[in-house]
Amino acid sequence: MGELTIFKNNDQLPAHFSDDDFGVTRELSVGVSNMPPMIKLNTKTFDLMQNGETTQLGLSFKAVIIGAGPIARKYFSVEYTGKEEDATAPDCASANGVTPDKAVACPMSHTCALCPKAAFGSKVNALGNKTKACTEYRRLVIYLPNKVKGANKFFRLDLPTMSIKPAAQYCNLLAMRGVPVHGVITQLAFDSNEKYAKLTFDAIQVFTPEQF
């Protein structure tokens, strides 16, 4: 679940949001050929990957969420060890969560709905829990105004399966206040109560009319 620190005192909706149609908070599909650099989740820390270099963002960071793609899927036949040299492309992937991408050489199924790798129980994780061999994720496009050097300030972050619902709840909380998600600075962090990668979201600052 997300937090709205900026509204702890029941502050009212800023007037400059009153005409916003919330279009940017809806699904935003980003072309593969124009994919921004990645912010990677690495053992409960955030790493920014850009131009072959890695910049550590720490346990949390502040950003503006610009948009999100649909729930997508990816399947690896070999478990990722966490070492960069062991990283490989997925054996099967779906950017739309419905059918495998055209670039996939050997799709596991014609559709994601009928794929045995997408069935619950097709994998047992390190904690001994049944899960899906083909994992779901949701790609965010975010803006980091002051965190990185260079001209590029836009990055992508793939939300792991258990962070998809908290992100949606966070956006819904903002919408109930009449505030678009791109109208606030969001702090993203790992949920310290969970052993797996689950993120938390907290709105910590509303943009002024000049900034918005």
Side-chain angles (χ1 to χ4, degrees), residues 39 48 50 55 57 144-155:
I39 293 177
L48 190 153
Q50 182 175 216
T55 302
L57 299 180
L144 297 179
N146 301 314
K147 270 286 186 183
V148 294
K149 298 179 181 179
N152 188 70
K153 304 296 182 183
F154 292 91
F155 298 87

Side-chain angles (χ1 to χ4, degrees), residues 3-179:
E3 296 290 339
L4 302 181
T5 296
I6 51 177
F7 295 115
K8 292 295 185 183
N9 297 322
N10 293 318
D11 295 337
Q12 297 301 310
L13 169 68
H16 53 284
F17 291 142
S18 58
D19 294 327
D20 194 284
D21 65 1
F22 292 80
V24 77
T25 65
R26 301 187 186 120
E27 288 188 353
L28 175 65
S29 297
V30 180
V32 174
S33 61
N34 192 33
M35 197 68 69
M38 172 178 280
I39 293 177
K40 179 182 175 184
L41 281 63
N42 183 26
T43 317
K44 293 211 169 186
T45 61
F46 297 98
D47 291 342
L48 190 153
M49 319 294 290
Q50 182 175 216
N51 300 325
E53 297 183 356
T54 300
T55 302
Q56 293 185 343
L57 299 180
L59 300 176
S60 65
F61 68 96
K62 302 177 182 67
V64 182
I65 299 175
I66 303 300
I71 294 178
R73 294 175 177 271
K74 52 187 174 183
Y75 165 71
F76 295 88
S77 59
V78 178
E79 191 77 21
Y80 178 50
T81 64
K83 297 180 180 180
E84 194 65 33
E85 60 268 24
D86 294 336
T88 60
D91 295 87
C92 191
S94 173
N96 60 18
V98 178
T99 57
D101 297 337
K102 292 181 179 180
V104 175
C106 298
M108 298 294 107
S109 175
H110 294 298
T111 65
C112 296
L114 298 178
C115 181
K117 302 299 183 182
F120 181 76
S122 55
K123 177 183 176 181
V124 177
N125 63 21
L127 299 176
N129 299 322
K130 291 184 178 181
T131 181
K132 300 177 182 179
C134 182
T135 58
E136 296 175 324
Y137 69 96
R138 191 163 196 178
R139 178 157 293 167
L140 298 184
V141 178
I142 61 178
Y143 177 67
L144 297 179
N146 301 314
K147 270 286 186 183
V148 294
K149 298 179 181 179
N152 188 70
K153 304 296 182 183
F154 292 91
F155 298 87
R156 74 185 191 272
L157 170 67
D158 289 348
L159 292 177
T161 303
M162 300 307 293
S163 298
I164 295 175
K165 185 175 180 179
Q169 292 174 329
Y170 170 67
C171 290
N172 288 337
L173 284 174
L174 285 171
M176 290 171 62
R177 288 280 185 171
V179 177

